[in-house]
Amino acid sequence: NRALQESESRYRALFLDAPVGMFQMSPGGQFLDLNEAMAKILGFESANQALEEVARGEAPVFFTPGQWDEKGLFDGQGYLQSGIDLQVNCRNGEAKWVRFNIRAVREDGRLVRFEGVSEDVTNRKRTELKTEVLAYYDLLTGLPNRMLFNQRLGEGLAAAREQGRRVALFLVEVERFKAINDSLGDMFGDRLLQETAARIKAGTGEESVVAR
């Protein structure tokens, strides 16, 4: 009994003091247990605060891994087939990107809880999004650039071939744009391009791609 108690104490200490978020959760998405790192990720002041709010029925449901289970995202051992990144609205109102690795725990084939490890990847995600914007979008107008347009065009042509449809392609030029720049200045020219892009975008359907 003493050896078992010592083992449980060591496990509990590792769980509470782990530098990454760790938690146990009901199939409905309510926390059964969580450590301090997980509480901080979700915007609580402490794990005790989080569990007290759960006990009072005041803690929000941040995500529901039960939906992932229903969609068959867990493998034969009950682990998520790959880590999943979710944008979570935290207890303090802050939005964060959190990466989850979760295991579904079953008894006699019945889902009883989830156990997981999480990591705050907000800064990494923001860097990835900034890099994607720089690589694929025109910074002046916010429209897709040539690289992204070529990619979307290829996807559209492939889909059209499969569905027996056609793709319409338009090239729109701004006449005498150099004269506008020379006479009114680059700032006015930039404003003109932004307004032109916005009007074309507003006049096209959701399935259309407008690029510069």
Side-chain angles (χ1 to χ4, degrees):
N1 286 339
R2 185 168 62 249
L4 180 60
Q5 290 173 357
E6 290 175 353
S7 176
E8 289 177 348
S9 296
R10 284 196 298 271
Y11 169 79
R12 189 67 187 167
L14 286 171
F15 176 85
L16 291 175
D17 298 333
V20 295
M22 301 178 70
F23 61 91
Q24 292 181 336
M25 177 174 281
S26 72
Q30 288 290 7
F31 286 105
L32 303 172
D33 200 1
L34 74 166
N35 67 354
E36 294 296 324
M38 187 70 199
K40 292 294 193 299
I41 287 174
L42 295 178
F44 292 98
E45 293 181 3
S46 67
N48 284 337
Q49 181 199 11
L51 294 174
E52 286 171 3
E53 290 194 13
V54 169
R56 294 195 302 266
E58 298 174 358
V61 174
F62 296 99
F63 53 94
T64 52
Q67 295 176 346
W68 308 340
D69 187 49
E70 292 169 3
K71 293 178 181 178
L73 297 181
F74 291 91
D75 63 18
Q77 277 72 47
Y79 290 92
L80 267 181
Q81 294 174 10
S82 61
I84 186 168
D85 293 345
L86 288 182
Q87 193 167 25
V88 176
N89 293 318
C90 298
R91 177 67 176 78
N92 57 6
E94 183 181 0
K96 291 182 180 179
W97 281 97
V98 183
R99 174 161 295 173
F100 293 95
N101 287 281
I102 298 179
R103 181 172 75 98
V105 180
R106 293 178 171 84
E107 294 179 2
D108 299 324
R110 183 174 60 89
L111 177 65
V112 292
R113 68 179 181 277
F114 293 96
E115 296 176 344
V117 177
S118 67
E119 177 188 6
D120 184 352
V121 293
T122 303
N123 291 335
R124 186 190 313 169
K125 207 74 175 179
R126 286 173 178 165
T127 300
E128 290 174 0
L129 291 173
K130 287 180 182 177
T131 302
E132 181 179 345
V133 167
L134 290 173
Y136 292 109
Y137 289 88
D138 173 57
L139 296 182
L140 178 63
T141 62
L143 296 178
N145 62 14
R146 181 181 297 178
M147 183 183 299
L148 183 55
F149 172 73
N150 287 336
Q151 179 181 320
R152 296 276 173 84
L153 178 61
E155 293 169 355
L157 290 172
R161 279 195 294 269
E162 289 180 4
Q163 300 166 12
R165 300 167 60 187
R166 293 186 177 183
V167 173
L169 183 63
F170 294 87
L171 173 63
V172 181
E173 294 185 355
V174 181
E175 292 186 352
R176 299 195 301 161
F177 182 67
K178 185 176 185 304
I180 293 170
N181 259 349
D182 292 344
S183 60
L184 299 175
D186 291 344
M187 186 177 295
F188 188 91
D190 288 347
R191 288 288 301 278
L192 176 65
L193 290 176
Q194 290 169 337
E195 181 66 20
T196 303
R199 292 190 184 193
I200 295 174
K201 183 69 177 173
T204 57
E206 292 184 1
E207 294 185 3
S208 300
V209 177
V210 181
R212 184 185 178 202

